[in-house]
Amino acid sequence: MKLATLAALAALMALFAPVSAIAQDGAAPAVTAAEAGQVDGAQTAPGAEALPGNIAPANADAAQTEGAYTPMAPTKGKGMPTDPRTGESGAMMKSLTFQDQYSVDGEYALWMHDWILLPVITFISLLVLGLLLYVVVRFNRGTNPVASKTTHNTMIEVVWTIVPVIILVIIAVPSITLLARQYEVPPEDAVTIKATGYQWYWGYTYPDHGEIEVVSNMLSDADAIANGEPAQLAVDNRMVVPAGVPLRIQTTAADVIHAFAVPSLWFKMDAVPGRLNEKILTIKEPGVYYGQCSELCGSRHAYMPIAVEALPPEQFAAWVRAQGGTMPGEEEAVIEAPAAEEAPAEQVAALTAR
């Protein structure tokens, strides 16, 4: 009897199982490749609506209507590489040297390159070329059949020892100055931004502004061109910073070694798992500045660009509020306001007790 009852229950469960499975399949929401974290085998960040501090699509229109923050349009040729194939005037020459610099250290480094290193390199190259041509013409077998037996010349040996030392000293002074400036300790009031490298995208955290977190993925070529941005350098969420103030840029990584590099800001620093590197950066003027990961980090290394959007301080504050964060000092003001209102009531209670 027990066996018959168990068999009947098993038969009933077998009949209803397909129906329940079909119902579950119909109720399950569709999951896109990006939400699943896989696009052609590459890991990507979750959507903006799933991240703390990012504006959900439903709130994006509200932020626009309030006029709090509008993404800055890039300026052609500013903060981005120059393409010599465009045929524009000066494009070829610009593509052969560094990008125009928009940071304090970058301007100093570019000055050192253009006015110290290049002249020294050019002078040495021409001098050596001239000496080689002189030796070829003056001491060849036809014009000088009897070779000289001279092996030492005190004056020449002194000159080719002293002159290189002087050249090295000339180069060393600005070089050491540049190194010292790049690794100055940021001031206490510097704005802190933590850049974390992932395979293969960037994440930006703002510990001074309510722990805002922004995840940045590369836009498709079509979307980038439609936005007026360079292909393979544009991103969906930029690293937004204030212009004209010291920045404390911290880099780390979650998986392998990456490198945070923005050429037009003369900034490059490795992002190493388990280590927090730190460097000062001051961007002189507002703009959009593009860079890339500069450390070979896997199959999609070339597809994790960097876009830094430097805004005037008041617009940066608007961006922070649009992201759900707070400016330093705002939280303290909100906490102290109720305490100030309650103070008279506490005083009255103390007087009544007396």
Side-chain angles (χ1 to χ4, degrees):
M1 185 65 182
K2 291 182 180 180
L3 293 175
T5 303
L6 292 174
L9 289 174
L12 289 172
M13 291 176 65
L15 289 173
F16 286 103
V19 177
S20 62
I22 294 172
Q24 291 177 0
D25 292 341
V31 179
T32 63
E35 292 171 345
Q38 296 290 331
V39 177
D40 294 334
Q43 182 181 359
T44 60
E49 64 278 3
L51 296 171
N54 283 9
I55 301 178
N59 298 333
D61 295 336
Q64 293 292 338
T65 56
E66 293 174 2
Y69 164 72
T70 302
M72 178 182 291
T75 302
K76 188 175 182 180
K78 178 180 180 180
M80 63 181 72
T82 304
D83 188 358
R85 297 171 297 180
T86 59
E88 298 179 2
S89 176
M92 178 60 72
M93 290 302 298
K94 283 189 175 182
S95 66
L96 296 178
T97 183
F98 295 103
Q99 297 182 26
D100 294 336
Q101 295 300 306
Y102 296 92
S103 68
V104 177
D105 291 340
E107 287 186 344
Y108 182 85
L110 187 60
W111 167 83
M112 175 185 166
H113 173 268
D114 292 344
W115 295 100
I116 296 180
L117 295 182
L118 275 183
V120 168
I121 293 170
T122 303
F123 171 75
I124 293 175
S125 299
L126 293 178
L127 176 63
V128 173
L129 177 61
L131 291 175
L132 287 174
L133 293 177
Y134 175 77
V135 169
V136 169
V137 174
R138 175 67 178 82
F139 297 105
N140 63 72
R141 180 177 295 180
T143 58
N144 190 30
V146 180
S148 173
K149 302 294 184 178
T150 303
T151 57
H152 295 283
N153 187 300
T154 303
M155 179 59 66
I156 291 178
E157 291 181 357
V158 170
V159 169
W160 72 31
T161 302
I162 298 299
V163 171
V165 170
I166 296 174
I167 293 174
L168 290 176
V169 170
I170 294 174
I171 296 175
V173 172
S175 296
I176 295 174
T177 302
L178 178 60
L179 286 174
R181 290 177 57 165
Q182 288 183 130
Y183 290 97
E184 289 180 357
V185 178
E188 293 184 2
D189 59 348
V191 178
T192 303
I193 301 101
K194 179 182 177 183
T196 305
Y198 300 90
Q199 289 183 310
W200 289 270
Y201 60 92
W202 289 97
Y204 306 118
T205 309
Y206 295 74
D208 297 338
H209 302 87
E211 295 292 338
I212 298 173
E213 183 179 358
V214 176
V215 171
S216 180
N217 281 291
M218 186 181 75
L219 289 178
S220 65
D221 291 355
D223 290 340
I225 295 173
N227 293 343
E229 299 184 78
Q232 296 188 353
L233 289 177
V235 298
D236 53 359
N237 293 306
R238 297 169 179 166
M239 173 178 151
V240 181
V241 300
V245 300
L247 306 176
R248 180 185 292 105
I249 307 297
Q250 299 176 339
T251 61
T252 187
D255 31 53
V256 298
I257 298 177
H258 302 274
F260 188 88
V262 184
S264 59
L265 301 178
W266 203 270
F267 190 94
K268 182 180 183 295
M269 188 163 57
D270 284 348
V272 182
R275 178 170 179 171
L276 193 67
N277 292 329
E278 182 176 287
K279 194 173 179 181
I280 188 173
L281 171 65
T282 303
I283 304 175
K284 295 192 63 176
E285 60 184 67
V288 182
Y289 307 96
Y290 297 94
Q292 286 180 310
C293 174
S294 298
E295 190 74 42
L296 188 59
C297 58
S299 61
R300 291 184 64 83
H301 156 70
Y303 302 100
M304 50 183 302
I306 300 163
V308 179
E309 181 178 345
L311 297 174
E314 61 276 6
Q315 294 184 22
F316 172 74
W319 176 83
V320 169
R321 297 186 184 96
Q323 297 296 311
T326 56
M327 295 298 293
E330 290 182 350
E331 295 180 354
E332 290 79 357
V334 173
I335 294 173
E336 290 176 359
E341 295 175 358
E342 294 173 0
E346 294 175 357
Q347 293 176 2
V348 171
L351 292 173
T352 305
R354 292 178 184 176

